[in-house]
Structures are given as C-alpha cells and as structure tokens.
C-alpha cells in the first residue's frame, strides 16, 4: 500500500483532536477528547499535562483504528496551543506542576516590574514580543521559583521544559526527542527571531536555565517517531507548528499580504510579511510565520484573548441555554441600533491594548435593552476587536496590506454565516469563509506532508485548500463607523 495519508494531531486549549487526511486535504477520520481546565485563583488557568498526553494517544489510536488504514500513514503533523508550558522530570517524565495555560495572568506583576525597569524595548527587538504574562518565559520561571527545589534541579539538568508540542513529542518518542519548532520557540520570550536561536540575554533576564530548553527545528523536519506500541508501528513525526502558524498554512497564506484569523477560544489574526521582519508601531507582535529548509518567513500577529469564550460566557454567565446556536438566535432577535457595547476583557485585553489588568464591561444599557441586545453586542465585540487588529496591521505593514485586503477565517465561530457577515460588515473588508473549518489541523498535516515528501514545497502544499465563500460588507459606512466609535469609547472604560 502507498503511504499517502497524513495524521494531524491538534492539541488545543479546550480539546485534543486527531484528523487523518489524504493527499488532497480530504479528512477521512476524526476523533476528539475534551480537555478540562482548572482555575485555582483569579486569573490563573491550568491544565493536567498527563491528561493531555493520554488524550493525544487516545485520539491518534481512534483515528487510525476507525480508518482501518494505519499502514498508509506517511507521517504525523503536530500543532498545539502555543504559549502553554510544562516543566517535567527528565528521568521519570512526571510534570512537577500543572501546565500553565497561555490565558494565565499570574506573572503580570513580574512583567510589569520588567517594563518599569525599561526592558521591554530590548525584549521586543530580540523576540518580536511584548512583556506580557501571555508568553511562556515568565511562566517557566514562576514554576522554578514556586516549586520547592525546582530551580536547583533545573540548573543541575534534572528537569526539562517545553510548550505542548515539545511535551507531547517527548512522550510519543519515549523521551528520545526533546525538540520544538521555530514557531513555538518564537512565543516564549526566550528566542531571538533574527538569529533563530535561544537568546542568552533573554534567558538571563527571565532567569530561565538553558539546560531546560529543547532543540529548535524547522516546521518541516525529523521530530523522531512514535514508539511502536502506540500505533502498532513507528510513525515518523515530520511537521510541527504552533496552532496559529499551522492555520496560516492551512489557509494557504504563504505569500506576503495574505491574512487569516482563527476564531476559537480567543482570536488570532496573522498577516504574512514574507522575509521582511516588520516592526510594529501599534503593539502587534512580530512573529514567525514558518521556517522551512532554513528559510524564515515572518508575520504580524494580533491576539484577542476572548472570542468564542465570550459566547460561552453568554451560556455559563448569563444562563442562555442551548449553546452557541441558541445564543446566535437570540442575538439575531436584537433591536437594530440598540447601542449596547460589550467589552469581554475577562482575562485582560490583548493587542493592540495589552492590558492584563483590564476587566469586562457592558455599556449603553437602556430600560428596553435585554439579553438579545447583550448577546448581539457580545458577537459584535469579536468583530470590533478584529477591526482593532486590522487597523493596526494596515498601519504597520502598508506594503503587505494591500487595498484589496481579504481576511480568511476559520475556527468555531466562522461556522456561523451570520457572524461571518457581521465580521465583514464591521471590519469593512471582504471575509473569505472556508467550507472546512479545521485549518489548524490541515496546516499541521501539510507541513508533515512536505516533510514526508508528499509535496515538493510549502507552495505546492498550500494549493491544497478547501472551497470557500467570500462575504463582502453590506452595511452603510456610516453605520459601521458609528459602531466602531462606540467601541472605541467603551474600551478605555475597562482599562486598568
């Protein structure tokens, strides 16, 4: 049998999923496991790393068993929630502390102190990032400082640290490979995106021992192979990328100016800037798009911390039962021009505000406003936050951001045609909505397909793209700008 199938493992924030794709990007089999989150204190978010690994094995096995084509799998591609980090014992493989999730804000004071000391400009110059608890570096240092004896053990080489891709690969390969890829490394505050290696000045600044960290590989490469008992034979791992970079690949955004947004728990928007390492004046992140065959391409990224999570809040916080569809139906029943604005800053504000201390608010309530108007404003908040990012990208990457800009979207919220149209209406640009939503998994599969020799290049792989519909703005410019003005008036009211 020809080995022409690719197995994608997508380790996300709320679930772990595996999808088996054929060479033309058609999904053949899929399995998912939900992932529990814990909230020990206000602003803290944790995962059980052992639960994550067990779920990874379970979904990989289920997919190949369901398909009946285990022998046809050429390679595995892995993608993951990026800044979530775990520290574990090199000998036993046991985590010394729960994984700290990208949403976690416990190191906000450390970041604020480093900012006050004037370190942020140098951090941004080296890493492309800002000093924010969102990123992995301060999380690693926190674990070393808070777990008794951990720092001494780390400096003695007894501990290892990594993002979820690194942890899962280490486990899948039986501890043979302590590796990550360049896109995940670029989200740690510890990686020099110009030199393409761990930065000694950043390691010293954040007090993270180099001995903890994995080797950094290209997105396409040899990440080892799964141990034979897991899938019945050793299966090579040939592609790895952080979830948003994987989605960028899945959306076919391999040329400068191509832009995508993934609407999951949060929203992450990236515009490919090619080999130009664009410097943001709008507090966007300069990050890796991909590194393949030693060639680095960059992107500007804006992160919205709360997108789909805001729709969850409608159910869990306000008691709107029936899930996202019921929330959407309620929102569509809202009065036109209701004037309500929801700022869902439940865990702070991301780009371009970067305010860890901000908290959510509801504004513009009148006597005749109710749940429909609050629901509509919550959906609109996702679109208006996207407008913030688009305006920042327009300012920071004028050569990449052309007049005929188009936003390619995927993720859970993009399944809604109504929300996708609201997104076009409130941002003022065309929205390209893919017919298949699992672009993150597809991107991981495509990177692995290049690594397995199924595609000659990422450009060839990018041609594997599902059908899409394009939605154009349909409301008057005056109405769009009035909605955005109300948003810009509300945001400062929740700032810390």
């Amino acid at each position: 049998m020809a080995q022409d199938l690719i197995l994608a493992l997508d380790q996300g924030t709320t679930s772990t999923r595996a999808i088996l794709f054929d060479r033309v990007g058609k999904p053949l089999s899929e399995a998912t496991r939900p992932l529990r989150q814990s909230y020990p204190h206000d602003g803290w978010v944790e995962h059980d790393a052992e639960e994550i690994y067990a779920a990874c094995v379970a979904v990989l096995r289920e997919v190949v068993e369901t398909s009946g084509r285990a022998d046809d799998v050429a390679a595995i591609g892995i993608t993951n929630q990026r800044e979530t980090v775990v520290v574990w014992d090199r000998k036993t493989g046991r985590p010394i502390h729960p994984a700290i999730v990208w949403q976690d804000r416990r190191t906000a004071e450390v970041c604020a102190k480093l900012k006050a000391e004037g370190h942020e400009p140098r951090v941004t110059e080296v890493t492309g990032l800002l000093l924010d608890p969102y990123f992995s570096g301060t999380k690693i240092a926190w674990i070393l400082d808070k777990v008794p004896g951990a720092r001494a053990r780390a400096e003695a080489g007894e501990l290892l640290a990594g993002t979820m891709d690194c942890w899962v690969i280490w486990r899948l390969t039986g501890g043979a490979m302590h590796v990550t890829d360049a896109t995940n490394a670029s989200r740690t505050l510890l990686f020099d995106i110009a030199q393409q290696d761990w930065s000694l000045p950043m390691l010293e600044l954040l007090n993270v021992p180099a001995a903890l960290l994995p080797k950094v590989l290209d997105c396409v490469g040899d990440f080892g192979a799964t141990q034979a008992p897991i899938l019945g034979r050793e299966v090579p791992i040939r592609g790895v990328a952080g979830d948003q970079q994987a989605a960028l690949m899945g959306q076919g955004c391999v040329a400068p100016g191509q832009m995508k947004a993934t609407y999951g728990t949060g929203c992450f928007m990236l515009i490919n800037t090619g080999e130009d390492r664009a410097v943001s004046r709008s507090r966007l992140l300069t990050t890796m798009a991909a590194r393949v065959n030693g060639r680095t391409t960059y992107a500007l990224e804006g992160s919205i911390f709360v997108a789909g999570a805001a729709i969850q809040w409608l159910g869990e916080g306000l008691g709107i039962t029936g899930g996202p569809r019921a929330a959407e139906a309620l929102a569509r029943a809202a009065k036109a021009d209701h004037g309500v604005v929801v700022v869902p800053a439940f865990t702070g504000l991301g780009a371009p505000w970067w305010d860890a201390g901000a908290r959510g608010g509801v504004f513009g309530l009148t006597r005749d406003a109710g749940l429909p108007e609050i629901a509509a404003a919550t959906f609109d908040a996702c679109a208006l936050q996207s407008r913030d990012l688009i305006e920042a990208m327009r300012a920071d990457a004028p050569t990449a951001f052309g007049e005929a800009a188009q936003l390619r979207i995927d993720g859970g919220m993009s399944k809604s045609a109504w929300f996708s149209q609201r997104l076009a209406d409130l941002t003022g640009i065309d929205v390209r909505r893919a017919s298949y939503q699992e672009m993150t998994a597809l991107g991981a599969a495509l990177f692995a397909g290049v690594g397995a020799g199924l595609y000659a290049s990422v450009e060839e792989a990018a041609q594997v793209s599902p059908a899409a519909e394009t939605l154009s703005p349909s409301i008057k410019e005056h109405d769009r700008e009035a909605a955005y003005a109300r948003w810009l008036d509300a945001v400062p009211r929740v700032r810390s």
Side-chain angles (χ1 to χ4, degrees):
M1 294 184 180
Q3 289 189 341
D4 58 357
L5 304 183
I6 313 162
L7 184 52
L9 178 62
D10 180 358
Q11 200 295 294
T13 308
T14 58
S15 67
T16 299
R17 176 180 289 110
I19 305 176
L20 185 65
F21 293 96
D22 66 13
R23 194 183 180 284
V24 296
K26 179 183 177 181
L28 305 178
S29 181
E30 178 176 335
T32 305
R33 295 289 185 279
L35 177 59
R36 291 181 297 110
Q37 290 181 308
S38 59
Y39 308 93
H41 302 284
D42 179 39
W44 291 29
V45 190
E46 295 180 348
H47 282 159
D48 181 340
E50 292 284 6
E51 178 190 353
I52 286 174
Y53 175 67
C56 289
V57 172
V59 295
L60 289 171
R61 283 177 172 164
E62 182 178 335
V63 162
V64 296
E65 289 170 3
T66 301
S67 71
R69 299 184 62 183
D71 292 339
D72 296 340
V73 177
I76 293 173
I78 295 176
T79 184
N80 57 288
Q81 49 170 324
R82 293 174 301 181
E83 296 81 7
T84 300
V85 71
V86 63
V87 178
W88 67 95
D89 185 295
R90 181 192 292 268
K91 289 185 179 179
T92 68
R94 294 174 183 165
I96 67 168
H97 187 276
I100 301 181
V101 181
W102 58 271
Q103 299 159 310
D104 191 281
R105 314 304 290 172
R106 75 186 66 188
T107 62
E109 289 185 9
V110 172
C111 293
K113 180 175 181 292
L114 291 170
K115 282 184 188 179
E117 293 171 353
H119 294 293
E120 188 168 68
R122 177 59 175 157
V123 169
T124 301
E125 179 185 358
V126 172
T127 70
L129 309 178
L130 299 169
L131 277 169
D132 190 88
Y134 173 31
F135 305 108
S136 311
T138 56
K139 293 175 168 66
I140 296 173
W142 187 94
I143 292 173
L144 298 184
D145 289 334
K146 299 300 182 181
V147 176
R151 182 163 293 283
R153 294 183 65 203
E155 292 170 353
E158 297 176 12
L159 302 179
L160 298 176
T163 43
M164 287 298 102
D165 60 308
C166 178
W167 161 248
V168 170
I169 291 168
W170 192 85
R171 290 295 302 269
L172 288 174
T173 62
M177 302 293 286
H178 184 43
V179 292
T180 189
D181 88 292
T183 65
N184 276 296
S186 74
R187 309 296 296 188
T188 61
L189 282 174
L190 304 172
F191 190 73
D192 188 321
I193 60 172
Q195 299 300 318
Q196 289 295 298
D197 202 356
W198 299 117
S199 166
L200 290 179
M202 293 301 105
L203 291 170
E204 292 174 1
L205 178 66
L206 299 188
N207 202 15
V208 175
L212 282 170
L213 300 177
K215 181 179 180 181
V216 181
L217 306 180
D218 287 2
C219 301
V220 171
D222 183 357
F223 293 85
T226 60
Q227 292 182 288
I230 295 173
L231 295 173
R233 66 179 176 90
E234 293 186 355
V235 181
I237 304 168
R238 291 293 180 264
V240 176
D243 52 10
Q244 303 313 316
Q245 284 86 349
L248 194 70
M249 178 67 189
Q251 286 279 21
C253 297
V254 296
Q258 293 178 321
M259 176 172 56
K260 76 91 197 175
T262 298
Y263 292 87
T265 304
C267 170
F268 301 88
M269 188 181 296
L270 282 80
I271 184 168
N272 188 318
T273 62
E275 295 184 52
D276 175 25
R277 187 159 51 96
V279 177
S280 176
R281 297 175 299 279
S282 306
R283 292 178 67 76
L284 297 177
L285 308 176
T286 303
T287 194
M288 305 278 296
R291 196 175 84 188
V292 179
N293 295 326
R295 175 176 174 263
T296 300
T297 52
Y298 296 95
L300 282 175
E301 175 175 335
S303 306
I304 298 169
F305 293 154
V306 175
I311 311 307
Q312 287 180 309
W313 167 74
L314 290 173
E316 296 169 0
L318 298 187
I320 298 173
T321 59
R325 288 186 180 180
E328 179 185 318
L330 190 65
R332 295 175 73 167
K335 292 184 292 293
D337 301 321
H338 53 76
V340 177
V341 179
V342 172
V343 184
F346 304 142
T347 56
L349 286 169
W353 312 102
W354 292 109
D355 187 345
R359 288 297 179 264
V362 182
F363 303 94
L365 290 175
T366 57
R367 181 65 182 82
D368 61 347
L371 283 179
E373 288 69 37
I374 292 174
T378 302
F379 278 95
D380 282 356
C382 298
L384 293 164
Q385 289 178 101
S386 302
R387 169 78 182 265
D388 283 341
L389 300 183
I390 288 169
E391 295 302 328
M393 288 177 177
R394 199 189 304 270
D396 286 342
T399 56
F401 199 104
E403 288 297 319
Q406 179 190 72
L407 181 63
R408 304 181 186 194
I409 65 171
D410 58 87
M413 291 188 70
S414 70
K415 294 177 182 178
S416 166
W418 175 78
F419 169 73
S420 301
Q421 183 61 57
R422 288 298 289 168
L423 185 62
D425 289 343
L426 293 175
T427 59
I429 66 172
D430 286 351
V431 168
R432 185 175 183 266
R433 176 176 171 252
S435 59
Y436 181 67
Q437 305 301 323
E438 302 300 337
M439 290 300 188
T440 303
L442 177 61
L446 296 178
F447 278 127
V450 176
L454 299 182
Y455 313 110
S457 65
V458 291
E459 287 76 17
E460 180 183 326
Q463 298 306 307
V464 179
S465 183
E469 66 169 328
T470 299
L471 304 168
S472 298
S474 63
I475 65 173
K476 295 178 181 179
E477 183 178 1
H478 173 270
D479 294 337
R480 176 169 52 250
E481 295 309 312
Y484 191 49
R486 288 193 295 270
W487 169 259
L488 293 178
D489 177 69
V491 170
R493 299 169 185 257
V494 306
R495 297 290 304 276
S496 63

